[in-house]
Amino acid sequence: MTSTSQDRLRIDKWLWRVRVAKTRTSAAKLVADGYVRINGTKTDSPAKTVKAGDVLTIALERTVRVYRVLELGGRRGPAAEAQALYEDLSPEPPQG
């Protein structure tokens, strides 16, 4: 089975749509600088694609977020719409 453009999306676009980054350029930089893993594999290519079911590990300034892609979304909408595109699997922050 071949994949179509509707079942995959560039990682930088997806990160921007779910509001991990404020701009698509900053999302691309996050990926290019090596702060994103797709299914446990480090990637530095903003053009790398993701699909529903992929697990992304994103190292941010003071936290690590782990998201399972549920949907790709059609636009960058409000926060509530963005949150419906992923399942947050992030570990609980340490107490203390």
Side-chain angles (χ1 to χ4, degrees):
M1 177 184 272
T2 62
S3 65
T4 64
S5 61
Q6 287 106 12
D7 65 355
R8 297 182 91 56
L9 184 69
R10 286 175 56 113
I11 183 74
D12 59 337
K13 273 189 170 181
W14 192 86
L15 292 171
W16 174 69
R17 285 183 182 177
V18 299
R19 298 177 170 268
V20 169
K22 289 185 179 184
T23 65
R24 188 162 160 207
T25 301
S26 61
K29 183 168 176 21
L30 189 69
V31 176
D33 289 348
Y35 294 112
V36 178
R37 292 178 181 263
I38 301 172
N39 297 322
T41 304
K42 196 174 197 178
T43 184
D44 60 1
S45 172
K48 184 82 173 170
T49 59
V50 294
K51 65 185 180 322
D54 285 346
V55 175
L56 307 179
T57 306
I58 308 149
L60 300 173
E61 270 187 44
R62 295 187 174 129
T63 187
V64 173
R65 293 190 184 160
V66 182
Y67 292 154
R68 176 176 288 122
V69 178
L70 299 178
E71 295 180 44
L72 301 178
R75 66 184 185 122
R76 185 173 200 253
E81 188 178 306
Q83 290 172 346
L85 301 179
Y86 62 86
E87 177 184 359
D88 191 346
L89 305 173
S90 302
E92 291 291 322
Q95 300 295 322

